[in-house]
Amino acid sequence: MRIPFSPERRPTMYLTPDGFIVDRPIGVASEAEVQRRKAALRIKILTEQQRADVCSICLDPHIERAAFISICGHYFHNSCMERWLIEKNTCPLCKETVAP
């Protein structure tokens, strides 16, 4: 018996620039790795002076609470940093490793 084709059952595959077919794009971490990276962040209430800064990722002003990288001390919007950690495990400013 032949099973009919169903797009829901097909795994998502990606084509790399060098022609390889992979199950996730290059640079995108697995879900477990992303969770490990996010666990290294701390949420911090910013001081009045820090609130005047802008998020280096989106360039919008910070709100009262932000994601704080404990290794280097830089801080960003939590949502911006979560998106960043899907592709990179480094600080956007100094390139220090977030979660070794």
Side-chain angles (χ1 to χ4, degrees):
M1 179 174 163
R2 189 171 185 191
I3 298 173
F5 173 76
S6 171
E8 298 87 35
R9 295 181 57 188
R10 184 180 62 191
T12 303
M13 303 300 282
Y14 301 91
L15 182 65
T16 64
D18 52 356
F20 290 100
I21 298 174
V22 296
D23 61 351
R24 65 176 185 261
I26 293 176
V28 175
S30 67
E31 186 62 33
E33 176 62 16
V34 171
Q35 293 304 319
R36 188 182 77 80
R37 292 174 184 180
K38 287 180 183 178
L41 295 177
R42 300 292 174 253
I43 302 300
K44 175 181 170 180
I45 297 174
L46 300 177
T47 65
E48 201 62 43
Q49 182 181 11
Q50 290 171 328
R51 286 185 212 160
D53 291 342
V54 296
C55 174
S56 300
I57 299 172
C58 70
L59 302 178
D60 280 338
H62 280 289
I63 53 175
E64 289 184 16
R65 296 164 47 101
F68 172 72
I69 301 174
S70 56
I71 293 174
C72 61
H74 293 122
Y75 50 92
F76 312 90
H77 287 125
N78 189 39
S79 59
C80 293
M81 198 59 204
E82 286 182 354
R83 286 191 309 263
W84 181 270
L85 290 177
I86 292 172
E87 296 192 27
K88 302 195 184 309
N89 188 27
T90 58
C91 172
L93 288 177
C94 67
K95 306 302 182 209
E96 190 72 37
T97 302
V98 173

